[in-house]
Amino acid sequence: MRFDRREALTVAGIYLAIAVTGFGLLLAISHFRGYHPTDVLTRWDSARYLHIAEHGYPNHLEYTPSGLPKPSGLAFFPMVPALIRAVHLVTFLPFPYAGVVVSWSMAAIAAAGVHTLAGSLFGRRAGYACVGLWACSPYAFALWVPYSEATFTAFLMWTLIAVVARRWLWAGALCALAGTVRPTSTVLVGVVAISAIRALTLRRAGRRPWAAMGIAPLGLLFSWLYLGSRIGRLDGWFIAEKAWDQQFDFGLGSLRFLQKLITYQNTDIRYPVVLTVILIVAVGVVALAVDRQVPWPLVLVLAGAWALMFGTPGAPLSKPRFILPFLPIMLLLVVRPIARLPRPVQGCLYGCGAIFAGWYAFGLLVLFKHPP
């Protein structure tokens, strides 16, 4: 896979143009409704990341009267707070705006990775289409505010590029960095390991796949141990994660959610969207698996993401946002016909998508009582 700086700048410009449209509408609606920009930038997960960046991690867990741990910042991995704090120290920007700088910068890097991956498979125009569709997807707001999705997508895409290109040392190093961003990097560690084992079986790459397998999980291990050390326990992160109901239960929680949805015990209009996402991703995995032009590591990482999404109960409304970093892989199914559309038509498609994303973001971030 060839990296072209000029192409990367073009892709970053396309992404930023779409993101500015959606984010601008989000801020405009917020202003019209009487909300300050910081009200939008400090909601839900953003508030956690910004608090950690400013004050550091807590050194203890709080418990409910029944003995269960309360939700804590110890469940959030350290890379994004560290980047926000670094930008704040260098630029003197307030923490919410430093968080925006981090998200937008990493999203632009992620967009270059999306284009490189899709473009290497189906051509430049398909790469542009993949970036455009990802940038205007309904949950793209998570790339605009101080969330971890943009940073994780950047490391995810470039790790996959390294795996497909058999750049094993880069694959291991980038996967290790992804492990300091989100616990979902477990999927990526597994893909790197399986890809490396296959390369060793075929005797294609000498000893470098061994190095990749050794390096890839280091970031994940560091995050677990560092967060656990804050409360003096090796399993500290796992205890903190239980408070968010994120322990893997092989899909029992998701099945209970689907049962309540089908029997109309949950009537929130957003819940059918969650069911639709679960089904679409499952179908997408199968469709990609039969497409011989798509490398098998991409199919494997999407299958792993679906298994983790379905097998972890958590907050059902967060499942569509969970899949956002993996969405460019899903979009490989549709970018070829989209890329053949006239450019004005594509521009209208991305513009309308960005407007909807901005409008939808206001409802998710500000109006609704539950985190997106």
Side-chain angles (χ1 to χ4, degrees), residues 251-265:
L252 294 178
S254 294
L255 290 173
R256 284 194 292 268
F257 161 75
L258 294 177
Q259 182 264 329
K260 290 180 180 179
L261 178 63
I262 293 171
T263 57
Y264 289 95
Q265 296 179 54

Side-chain angles (χ1 to χ4, degrees), residues 74 106 122 165 189 212 219 262 308 334:
L74 287 169
M106 297 306 293
F122 305 124
V189 171
I262 293 171
L308 200 58
V334 298

Side-chain angles (χ1 to χ4, degrees), residues 303-326:
W306 183 89
L308 200 58
M309 175 181 66
F310 188 79
T312 306
L317 293 175
S318 68
K319 292 185 184 295
R321 179 170 64 84
F322 170 87
I323 212 68
L324 180 64
F326 303 92

Side-chain angles (χ1 to χ4, degrees), residues 283-303:
V283 172
V285 170
V286 176
L288 286 173
V290 300
D291 190 334
R292 295 184 179 181
Q293 289 183 270
V294 178
W296 66 267
L298 305 187
V299 181
L300 188 60
V301 77
L302 187 62

